[in-house]
Amino acid sequence: MSASSLQGRIALGSGGLFFLLYTVAAALVLILDARTSRNQLEALLDTHARSLAGYYASTHRLDVPELAAVDKDTPFPVWLRVVRQGKALASTPGLQDLGTGHREKKDAGHLEIWTPDHGRRLAMVSYAVWNEPGTEVEAFSSLHLLNQRERTLAYALAAAGLLLLPLAALAGRLLAARALRPVDALVAAIRALDSSRLDQRLAAPGAVAEIAHLTGEFNRLLVRLEESVDTMRRFTADASHELRTPISILRTGLEVTLRKDRTAEEYREVLQENLEEIERIQRIVEALLTLARTQPGDEREIPAESVDFSRLVTGALATIRPLAGEKNLTLETAIAPDIHLQGDPDQLRLMVLNLLDNAVKFTPGGGSIHLRLETLDNKARLEIRDDGPGIAEEDRPFIFDRFYRSRTTRATRSTGSVSGGLGLSLVRWVAERHGGTARLIETGGRGAGFEVVLPWRTG
């Protein structure tokens, strides 16, 4: 088990935490036991000294059993001594030669420590005989036994700690392994995923709240990833389809033309048709490049550039006018001057060109296209209407979807309804990116109408 793994870290952490808590608990046990043992020893010595002092004061006799032999029924051996004017009158056998030394008080109780010049230190309690001045009874016990008891307890606690420490680490590892079992299952499920199985969702039955939350967040990530991959696939497929049609037309036209010699007029006609298809391919590629540079949902700010929208619309009309002239279309325009926008001129121009190209494409020969640019409630309003076949009711909710083409459009390009393709999707995206809106409007009769509303400022 590596310490760098989560289970290893939890095991080490469990062992370390147990060691810390056990050390504190063991220290408290030692302190409390030492205090209890000293209080017990003091009480024992005090009882013996008080008892002998009372007996001697009342009888002046030294025939008590404690002076004849050490009491073995007590947790600590007790020696007694009766002293008058510094001279021992009687003492329990076995009491070491105290010789000279000094006494010191350790706390507020009666217990004192006798430290002789030779031999071991003794705990003592002394009581004066009340009716015989200069006479006192002294009770002694060895501090060595008390210290040995404390050391024995310390060794026992240390041995128990050394035994329990690896057990605590092992318990931490087992608990970590059990707690992380759902994570292992989650990792295995993630490894089984690939781009063809993004519709699957991860499950964490019986997992703790944190693992369940992680699973839920990963599933939400999978949803977003699946949507992105599906969008990319649709975009690639639809873009390929959108480009395949004009390229097939170009190839077929050239192959048919090259099968036999033709007149200069026939070659001119073929070249003109090919030029129209090339222009269509160019507009598709421009739209693709624009969408590739900045996908919808990109939060980057658009360039804060002042754009003369009136002049931009006029320029777009000049660009589209030759195409309208080929179909003998009438362009009826009403453009208010000096309408300025804040935004990206390239994107705005592409938006207007797509609307105009859509109108030219689906307006029959001899028809009319109506364009109006005006200000309305501190906004710029662009309206483009045509005399084409209009938009079927069932197609209207999807007209701004990328590469959407109505059933009629797929059947025949010359008489079909307006198709979405990349153009109208790009129109709405550019409008919304500039803080505006793009929508389909009612024309009150034949044809289709589109309205773009954008924030504006006077120049």
Side-chain angles (χ1 to χ4, degrees):
M1 176 182 60
S2 173
S4 60
S5 69
L6 186 56
Q7 291 187 22
R9 291 182 180 182
I10 292 177
L12 292 177
S14 300
L17 180 61
F18 173 80
F19 176 78
L20 178 62
L21 295 178
Y22 186 83
T23 301
V24 173
L28 290 176
V29 168
L30 289 174
I31 293 173
L32 292 176
D33 181 77
R35 180 172 297 179
T36 302
S37 298
R38 288 178 181 269
N39 291 339
Q40 184 181 9
L41 179 58
E42 179 181 355
L44 179 64
L45 295 176
D46 182 74
T47 300
H48 281 76
R50 188 190 297 269
S51 175
L52 180 55
Y55 178 80
Y56 182 76
S58 60
T59 65
H60 292 279
R61 295 168 57 183
L62 298 172
D63 57 350
V64 294
E66 290 80 1
L67 288 173
V70 178
D71 187 0
K72 297 181 178 181
D73 295 331
T74 59
F76 298 99
V78 178
W79 294 273
L80 296 174
R81 187 173 75 160
V82 181
V83 180
R84 180 187 297 164
Q85 302 298 331
K87 181 179 179 181
L89 299 181
S91 64
T92 304
L95 180 62
Q96 64 175 307
D97 182 11
L98 299 180
T100 59
H102 65 276
R103 297 161 61 174
E104 57 179 327
K105 263 292 190 66
K106 284 298 184 181
D107 50 41
H110 300 294
L111 188 67
E112 298 177 86
I113 303 299
W114 176 269
T115 305
D117 293 336
H118 59 84
R120 293 176 175 176
R121 300 169 69 205
L122 299 173
M124 68 173 292
V125 171
S126 62
Y127 262 94
V129 178
W130 63 273
N131 59 359
E132 191 173 313
T135 302
E136 63 179 9
V137 176
E138 298 172 342
F140 296 91
S141 186
S142 174
L143 281 176
H144 173 71
L145 295 177
L146 181 64
N147 294 333
Q148 187 178 32
R149 176 178 173 178
E150 292 176 354
R151 284 195 299 271
T152 301
L153 178 61
Y155 292 151
L157 290 174
L162 292 176
L163 178 63
L164 294 176
L165 182 60
L167 294 179
L170 179 61
R173 183 183 183 281
L174 294 177
L175 289 175
R178 182 175 182 180
L180 294 176
R181 197 170 299 153
V183 176
D184 295 335
L186 190 63
V187 171
I190 292 173
R191 286 175 177 171
L193 292 176
D194 54 40
S195 59
S196 63
R197 302 174 62 186
L198 292 178
D199 58 327
Q200 295 186 358
R201 296 295 174 260
L202 305 177
V208 295
E210 291 78 6
I211 303 299
H213 180 67
L214 174 63
T215 304
E217 290 300 319
F218 199 89
N219 283 332
R220 281 186 278 275
L221 174 63
L222 283 177
V223 171
R224 295 193 296 270
L225 182 61
E226 182 184 9
E227 292 175 352
S228 298
V229 172
D230 287 344
T231 300
M232 180 180 65
R233 287 172 176 169
R234 289 196 305 269
F235 185 88
T236 303
D238 292 340
S240 300
H241 175 76
E242 193 80 3
L243 289 171
R244 184 167 56 246
T245 300
I247 291 176
S248 297
I249 293 174
L250 284 174
R251 179 175 179 176
T252 302
L254 290 174
E255 288 177 346
V256 171
T257 303
L258 293 174
R259 287 176 184 174
K260 65 178 182 178
D261 293 333
R262 300 181 183 274
T263 65
E265 185 62 31
E266 289 176 329
Y267 281 122
R268 180 182 297 275
E269 182 180 351
V270 171
L271 291 175
Q272 184 63 39
E273 292 176 355
N274 289 345
L275 180 61
E276 292 177 359
E277 295 301 328
I278 290 174
E279 289 175 348
R280 183 185 174 201
I281 292 174
Q282 182 180 2
R283 289 192 295 272
I284 293 173
V285 171
E286 288 177 355
L288 288 172
L289 290 176
T290 300
L291 292 176
R293 285 194 298 266
T294 311
Q295 288 291 333
D298 195 331
E299 298 301 327
R300 289 176 296 178
E301 295 184 358
I302 58 175
E305 183 178 343
S306 178
V307 179
D308 188 338
F309 195 50
S310 300
R311 179 175 295 180
L312 186 146
V313 172
T314 302
L317 277 169
T319 301
I320 210 73
R321 198 176 295 275
L323 293 178
E326 292 178 4
K327 297 180 66 175
N328 196 25
L329 302 180
T330 302
L331 296 177
E332 299 181 1
T333 63
I335 301 176
D338 296 327
I339 297 180
H340 289 257
L341 303 179
Q342 204 72 11
D344 187 328
D346 293 333
Q347 292 184 13
L348 292 172
R349 180 176 181 275
L350 189 58
M351 176 190 71
V352 177
L353 282 174
N354 272 281
L355 285 173
L356 289 172
D357 177 68
N358 195 81
V360 170
K361 184 188 302 182
F362 295 102
T363 301
S368 299
I369 296 175
H370 309 271
L371 181 147
R372 175 181 293 273
L373 176 62
E374 59 186 351
T375 60
L376 180 66
D377 298 330
N378 294 326
K379 295 181 184 297
R381 178 179 179 273
L382 174 66
E383 176 186 318
I384 297 179
R385 292 183 291 111
D386 60 57
D387 292 339
I391 302 172
E393 192 68 31
E394 65 271 16
D395 294 327
R396 295 192 174 197
F398 314 103
I399 197 66
F400 287 101
D401 291 350
R402 286 186 185 177
F403 299 106
Y404 175 76
R405 302 181 72 84
S406 69
R407 291 188 299 272
T408 311
T409 301
R410 287 193 294 266
T412 168
R413 291 180 55 204
S414 62
T415 61
S417 305
V418 175
S419 64
L422 276 171
L424 293 180
S425 171
L426 189 65
V427 167
R428 171 170 283 183
W429 173 64
V430 172
E432 292 178 350
R433 185 165 170 76
H434 286 75
T437 59
R439 68 186 185 94
L440 183 66
I441 60 175
E442 295 294 335
T443 59
R446 183 178 175 83
F450 295 91
E451 177 192 69
V452 175
V453 178
L454 301 169
W456 70 282
R457 65 177 181 83
T458 56

